[in-house]
Amino acid sequence: MTMLAAVASISAWGQGAASPQKAFDGYFECRTLAEHNTQDLIPSKESVDTLCYNLGVNNGLMLSGNGFFDSYGEINIFRFLTGLETAMENGGPVNEYVIDNEWAALFEISPYEMNSIFKRYLAARQQDHGISKAATDSTCYLLGVNCGILIKQYEFFDSCDEINLTEILLGIEDGLKFGTPATGSEEDLEWASKFKSNPYQMVEIVNSFLTAKDHYKKEVNRLTEEYFLIINAKREGIKKTESGLQYIVRSQGEGDKPIAPDTVNVDYTCYLMDGTIIDEGQNMEFTLDKVIKGFQEGLGLIGKGGDMTIYVPHYLAYGENGTNGVEPYSLIIFDIKLHDFTHEAAENDAESE
């Protein structure tokens, strides 16, 4: 679909009056259209299957090398998959350096107990003590949790539905069956030939998949933003600056307008296009040269008491790489009320007198 055809197909969404809530209308349609127009960039089923198999092999080699199991048949696959799926749903804690009890409560067994449970299980195996079914089941569940957390952490997949679980399990089975190579640091081609794909190429497989996935995600975000801005520009009351910043002023305010590096006092709420609030504050004071370019430019359009919404394209916000909580090529939206500001030049003149 050409750009003109794409815009024509969704331009009817841009006819309503603008407001902070109304401004997000059409986002999901824009994203669906962007995803449709980037289908050829989605990592192929073959690359997904190869990655999943290698992730499984990596887990199988770890289980074999650390002495968790002697064979695939000893694993409670149901408990492993339950743990993996739970971890894919909930991911890891926001702050890995702080105990997050609320996050841990989402699991049947707290991930914070992982190390102690693994140590007891491995000690029992090494000492040839009888291992209860409950101990094996707990270990298998937490091994699945560990696998799921790593998959989420490295952003291989966003949900369990994207994973070929059959290939992961086959990889685990082969990893346990064939074990580690006997040649140490040298490549053991005879050992590698036993696997569906060469374990020595695991790093290349992972990097290739992540590169393709990252390119797809960025292109979807870029097109979503592009479509959204085209639609949003048609809404009643929306204006656009030369830089591409879009805005609507609800109250112009009075007097001069702030410029960097003035100190401003504002209320603001920052949203993603889907309406997710990523930051907000009241009576916040900071120098205007310390914030993103789009915020600087937008605030420079109103005076004291002014109230506005700005729509900041990625190149005036967090760019092609994004930041914590903001994906690459993300347009962000601010509701802003400017209470007051102090001209930096005026402060310097007063000090010199």
Side-chain angles (χ1 to χ4, degrees):
M1 181 182 291
T2 66
M3 176 60 67
L4 289 177
V7 173
S9 71
I10 55 180
S11 60
W13 300 332
Q15 304 305 312
S19 70
Q21 183 59 45
K22 188 71 172 175
F24 310 141
D25 287 355
Y27 161 70
F28 291 107
E29 292 87 347
C30 288
R31 187 162 187 87
T32 298
L33 183 60
E35 290 172 346
H36 174 75
N37 288 336
T38 53
Q39 287 184 0
D40 59 328
L41 299 179
I42 297 174
S44 67
K45 181 181 182 302
E46 180 182 1
S47 68
V48 170
D49 291 350
T50 300
L51 175 70
C52 288
Y53 176 77
N54 276 272
L55 291 175
V57 169
N58 189 57
N59 271 269
L61 295 177
M62 182 275 293
L63 296 179
S64 174
N66 289 297
F68 279 95
F69 305 106
D70 295 322
S71 69
Y72 181 76
E74 297 178 15
I75 304 174
N76 185 329
I77 297 301
F78 174 76
R79 295 299 294 157
F80 176 87
L81 291 178
T82 300
L84 187 152
E85 290 173 358
T86 304
M88 290 298 298
E89 290 173 4
N90 301 308
V94 175
N95 187 341
E96 62 181 295
Y97 302 105
V98 177
I99 299 294
D100 186 344
N101 291 319
E102 185 176 351
W103 168 76
L106 300 171
F107 297 82
E108 293 179 32
I109 304 171
S110 170
Y112 294 119
E113 297 181 30
M114 192 177 296
N115 286 339
S116 60
I117 288 176
F118 286 171
K119 285 180 180 178
R120 290 198 299 270
Y121 175 83
L122 291 173
R125 281 184 62 90
Q126 291 169 1
Q127 296 167 13
D128 201 23
H129 292 169
I131 301 174
S132 68
K133 181 179 183 303
T136 299
D137 291 351
S138 297
T139 297
C140 291
Y141 175 81
L142 288 172
L143 286 168
V145 168
N146 185 60
C147 181
I149 289 176
L150 287 175
I151 289 174
K152 289 286 282 189
Q153 178 183 349
Y154 289 99
E155 299 184 347
F156 293 118
F157 303 104
D158 297 320
S159 71
C160 216
D161 293 338
E162 300 174 17
I163 303 173
N164 188 330
L165 296 175
T166 299
E167 288 296 322
I168 283 189
L169 295 179
L170 180 58
I172 292 174
E173 182 174 11
D174 285 351
L176 279 167
K177 183 192 303 181
F178 304 130
T180 55
T183 55
S185 59
E186 296 182 10
E187 289 194 5
D188 184 340
L189 298 181
E190 182 179 353
W191 169 79
S193 67
K194 298 176 182 178
F195 296 86
K196 286 179 60 177
S197 62
N198 189 341
Y200 291 119
Q201 296 176 354
M202 194 173 299
V203 172
E204 290 87 341
I205 290 169
V206 165
N207 287 341
S208 176
F209 180 86
L210 289 177
T211 298
K213 189 172 185 291
D214 182 62
H215 179 55
Y216 166 71
K217 179 183 288 187
K218 285 182 176 180
E219 190 63 10
V220 168
N221 288 349
R222 187 189 68 78
L223 286 178
T224 300
E225 176 188 75
E226 189 171 346
Y227 296 155
F228 184 87
L229 285 171
I230 292 171
I231 294 169
N232 199 55
K234 297 177 180 292
R235 300 186 194 278
E236 182 182 343
I238 294 292
K239 297 180 180 180
K240 181 180 177 181
T241 68
E242 188 174 332
S243 71
L245 179 81
Q246 294 183 4
Y247 67 97
I248 180 167
V249 174
R250 286 180 292 278
S251 175
Q252 187 63 58
E254 299 179 351
D256 292 342
K257 300 175 177 61
I259 58 173
D262 292 347
T263 298
V264 297
N265 183 292
V266 299
D267 296 343
Y268 70 90
T269 305
C270 178
Y271 307 86
L272 299 177
M273 280 188 286
D274 65 0
T276 300
I277 295 175
I278 58 174
D279 193 16
E280 57 185 334
Q282 293 186 330
N283 291 312
M284 302 296 292
E285 285 197 359
F286 44 82
T287 57
L288 202 49
D289 59 353
K290 301 298 184 183
V291 295
I292 58 173
K293 292 180 180 180
F295 195 97
Q296 292 182 34
E297 183 180 0
L299 209 55
L301 299 171
I302 57 175
K304 295 178 182 179
D307 187 9
M308 70 187 313
T309 296
I310 58 174
Y311 308 87
V312 186
H314 72 274
Y315 54 85
L316 297 174
Y318 297 105
E320 299 178 3
N321 297 315
T323 187
N324 291 335
V326 179
E327 291 188 354
Y329 288 95
S330 286
L331 177 141
I332 56 177
I333 303 164
F334 286 92
D335 292 335
I336 308 172
K337 183 173 181 61
L338 174 60
H339 294 302
D340 198 1
F341 69 91
T342 304
H343 278 313
E344 185 70 18
E347 280 191 347
N348 291 337
D349 290 344
E351 291 175 0
S352 63
E353 292 178 357

